[in-house]
């Protein structure tokens, strides 16, 4: 449970608010995780409170994955208020104070969610400061957190003029997923895996997040960002930290964030020769895109963590738009035995090394592959696997969607799954060689897996995606 909370939702009529945030806030209210809740929406749109409530109901009906009961909506809708930004900071403050008058107790929390474009973030912070709403508050910010080292330092400095670092929650919805959090449990709670999570046993690691989606009218934003800034710094590197971090001294935010930051500080600078950039054919015809654009819609890279645990182990990261399949996986490839006692033709080695695979999709799964003997005379080996799917457990109904989990954690003041200023600045610092000297952008067909050069990048290994065999469905 959290303290009574008023959520001030900037960008309350935008796409993210309608798809994820408003339905998520309703579910947190329904589940009583945030039962003492008020929401004050604000945006550039001129509308009344009733109009905003109608918009919220439509959004919930279209995008919520849960059943909406009339009594739940009636109770939730009365907790929604709206103030257009044109009304000014004083009217926004008045709406927040009205909401707080209805909350029990005197320890109310203000949770500012900035669901706005990056260029509007500091303007929203200025509005919060002008309205005098920074006290007793926390602020959730959407990516990107700067576009290079200098801009990240400048952004953090300006944020710290209004908010203390402990009040700032830089959101990464990848880490809000149950499967991502399960990495910590899998690594540190199991005597089977903790001792082998090491360069002596692990050959290489892949973090692969291809997307089938295009820009959906985001050309202006994407032109100034690209796949590396949009996805790698703010998502894939954060997942890498969970995969590679040392055991924290305690399962609490400060200890976990210390270990994540140590991973970032141990990362070697990103070498442009270890990066493949691509652009899907047809990108330059998208609205808002320059006809001679060199912005990458795809990036694959090899990076290293220069510490004792991971010395010499390559991490391969890949993400892109308009690719052959949408997926979010972490794949741990274990080293093969140094010698084989099995006869030629037995099948050992035919299917590559053993893998531990985490699927970070909305239906979390894990798989462990290994060689086993085919029944019958002789020694013929096949690749087998053990699989676990969250939807097959009695816990499946308890899974919070990523944004729900992160909003709830921010309301409780738990920063475990959020990025810190130091971590973000370090990631931009190691990215600077690539940003200063980016390799050429290579074209790739929509529906493919990126430019052909990705195979030289990962050689002598191979990309796990696309999988040769599909996940098993329960019988």
């Amino acid at each position: 449970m959290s303290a009574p909370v008023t959520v001030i939702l900037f960008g309350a009529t935008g796409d993210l608010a309608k798809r994820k945030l408003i339905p998520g806030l309703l579910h947190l209210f329904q589940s009583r995780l945030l039962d003492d809740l008020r929401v004050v929406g604000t945006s550039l749109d001129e509308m009344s409170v009733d109009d905003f409530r109608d918009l919220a109901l439509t959004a919930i009906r279209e995008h919520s994955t849960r059943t909406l009961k009339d009594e739940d909506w009636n109770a939730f809708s009365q907790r929604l208020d709206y103030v257009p930004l044109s009304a000014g900071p004083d009217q926004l403050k008045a709406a927040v104070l009205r909401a707080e008058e209805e909350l029990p107790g005197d320890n109310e929390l203000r949770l500012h969610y900035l669901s706005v474009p990056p260029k509007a973030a500091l303007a929203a912070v200025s509005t919060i400061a002008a309205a005098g709403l920074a006290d007793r508050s926390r602020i959730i910010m959407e990516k990107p957190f700067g576009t290079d080292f200098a801009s990240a330092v400048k952004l953090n400095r300006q944020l710290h003029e209004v908010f203390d670092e402990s009040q700032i929650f830089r959101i990464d919805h990848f880490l809000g997923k149950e499967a991502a959090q399960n990495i910590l449990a899998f690594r540190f709670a199991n005597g089977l895996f903790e001792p082998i999570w090491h360069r002596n046993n692990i050959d290489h690691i892949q973090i692969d997040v291809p997307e089938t989606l295009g820009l959906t009218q985001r050309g202006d934003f994407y032109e100034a960002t690209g796949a590396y800034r949009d996805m790698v710094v703010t998502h894939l590197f954060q997942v890498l930290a969970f995969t590679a971090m040392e055991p924290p001294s305690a399962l609490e935010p400060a200890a976990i964030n210390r270990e994540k930051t140590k991973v970032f500080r141990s990362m070697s600078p990103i070498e442009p020769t270890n990066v493949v950039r691509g652009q899907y054919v047809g990108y330059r015809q998208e609205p808002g895109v320059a006809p001679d654009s060199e912005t990458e819609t795809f990036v694959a890279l090899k990076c290293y963590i220069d510490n004792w645990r991971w010395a010499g182990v390559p991490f391969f990261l890949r993400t892109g738009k308009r690719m052959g399949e949408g997926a979010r996986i972490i794949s741990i490839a274990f080293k093969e035995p140094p010698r084989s006692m099995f006869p030629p033709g037995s099948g050992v080695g035919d299917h590559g090394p053993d893998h531990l695979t985490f699927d970070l999709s909305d239906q979390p799964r894990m798989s462990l592959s290994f060689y086993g003997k085919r029944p019958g005379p002789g020694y013929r080996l096949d690749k087998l696997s053990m699989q676990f799917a969250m939807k097959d457990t009695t816990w499946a109904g308890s899974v919070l969607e990523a944004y729900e989990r992160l909003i709830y954690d921010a309301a409780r003041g738990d920063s475990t799954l959020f990025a810190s200023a130091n971590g973000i600045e370090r990631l931009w610092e190691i990215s600077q060689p690539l940003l200063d000297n980016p390799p050429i952008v290579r074209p790739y067909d929509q529906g493919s897996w990126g430019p052909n050069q990705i195979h030289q990048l990962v050689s002598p290994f191979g990309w796990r995606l696309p999988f040769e065999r599909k996940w098993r469905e329960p019988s």
Side-chain angles (χ1 to χ4, degrees), residues 253-269:
I256 292 173
N257 280 321
R258 275 196 299 271
E259 297 306 330
K260 285 169 57 182
T261 301
K262 287 179 184 177
V263 171
F264 299 146
R265 296 207 171 279
S266 298
M267 289 179 67
S268 302

Side-chain angles (χ1 to χ4, degrees), residues 213-227 230 277-298 320-322 441-446:
L213 298 174
L215 298 187
T216 60
Q217 309 302 315
R218 296 168 67 231
D220 291 342
F221 162 76
Y222 211 78
E223 274 291 271
T225 309
D230 184 44
R277 297 166 72 230
Q279 184 185 97
Y280 67 76
V281 176
Y283 170 75
R284 294 177 180 179
Q285 284 73 53
E286 299 277 12
V289 173
D292 58 349
S293 173
E294 292 296 314
T295 299
E296 81 279 358
T297 62
F298 169 97
K321 302 287 188 184
R322 297 287 190 195
V441 172
R442 302 177 184 275
Y444 65 96
D445 292 331
Q446 296 188 37

Side-chain angles (χ1 to χ4, degrees), residues 94-163:
V96 173
L97 294 179
R98 284 197 305 272
E100 291 179 341
E101 288 175 359
E102 300 175 7
L103 292 172
D106 56 1
N107 61 336
E108 304 94 345
L109 170 70
R110 296 162 182 166
L111 186 61
H112 305 282
Y113 197 119
L114 271 53
S115 178
V116 297
K119 61 184 179 182
L122 288 176
V125 171
S126 296
T127 299
I128 295 168
L133 295 175
D135 294 337
R136 295 184 283 109
S137 73
R138 299 179 184 128
I139 182 171
I140 300 177
M141 298 193 64
E142 287 280 345
K143 66 178 178 73
F145 314 116
T147 56
D148 56 19
F149 178 68
S151 63
V153 171
K154 181 180 178 181
L155 174 62
N156 286 328
R157 183 174 66 248
Q158 291 172 310
L159 288 173
H160 292 155
E161 291 174 0
V162 179
F163 295 101

Side-chain angles (χ1 to χ4, degrees), residues 168-380:
I168 302 171
F169 290 74
R170 299 169 185 84
I171 199 167
D172 174 15
H173 69 268
F174 272 51
L175 294 188
K177 296 179 181 297
E178 286 289 343
Q181 299 163 51
N182 215 11
I183 295 169
L184 296 183
F186 204 84
R187 285 190 58 191
F188 300 130
N190 294 296
L192 176 63
F193 290 103
E194 192 281 327
I196 64 173
W197 214 265
H198 193 277
R199 69 179 186 278
N200 292 345
N201 307 294
I202 291 177
D203 196 51
H204 66 279
I205 293 175
Q206 294 182 25
I207 301 174
D208 208 349
V209 187
E211 297 181 294
T212 57
L213 298 174
L215 298 187
T216 60
Q217 309 302 315
R218 296 168 67 231
D220 291 342
F221 162 76
Y222 211 78
E223 274 291 271
T225 309
Y228 184 82
R229 291 177 170 92
D230 184 44
M231 290 291 292
V232 176
V233 175
T234 52
H235 288 325
L236 273 63
F237 280 157
Q238 302 296 328
V239 174
L240 181 150
F242 264 46
T243 308
M245 62 188 274
E246 295 294 322
S249 58
L251 194 63
E252 54 92 16
I256 292 173
N257 280 321
R258 275 196 299 271
E259 297 306 330
K260 285 169 57 182
T261 301
K262 287 179 184 177
V263 171
F264 299 146
R265 296 207 171 279
S266 298
M267 289 179 67
S268 302
I270 307 300
E271 296 291 340
T273 53
N274 287 335
V275 179
V276 175
R277 297 166 72 230
Q279 184 185 97
Y280 67 76
V281 176
Y283 170 75
R284 294 177 180 179
Q285 284 73 53
E286 299 277 12
V289 173
D292 58 349
S293 173
E294 292 296 314
T295 299
E296 81 279 358
T297 62
F298 169 97
V299 63
L301 62 93
K302 176 169 61 176
C303 61
Y304 293 92
I305 300 172
D306 188 16
N307 61 20
W308 279 36
R309 182 182 291 269
W310 297 112
V313 176
F315 287 72
F316 297 99
L317 281 58
R318 177 173 65 169
T319 186
K321 302 287 188 184
R322 297 287 190 195
M323 296 184 69
E325 182 183 327
R328 300 161 183 168
I329 71 155
I330 304 170
S331 184
I332 316 294
F334 293 99
K335 290 185 175 179
E336 299 186 62
R339 292 184 60 83
S340 175
M341 57 184 270
F342 297 96
S346 65
V348 68
D350 287 354
H351 302 285
D354 300 337
H355 284 90
L356 174 63
T357 304
F358 295 87
D359 184 341
L360 306 186
S361 68
D362 293 332
Q363 298 291 337
R365 294 174 289 193
M366 291 185 292
S367 172
L368 178 63
S369 68
F370 51 90
Y371 283 99
K373 180 185 176 298
R374 183 185 295 179
Y379 262 95
R380 179 67 185 172

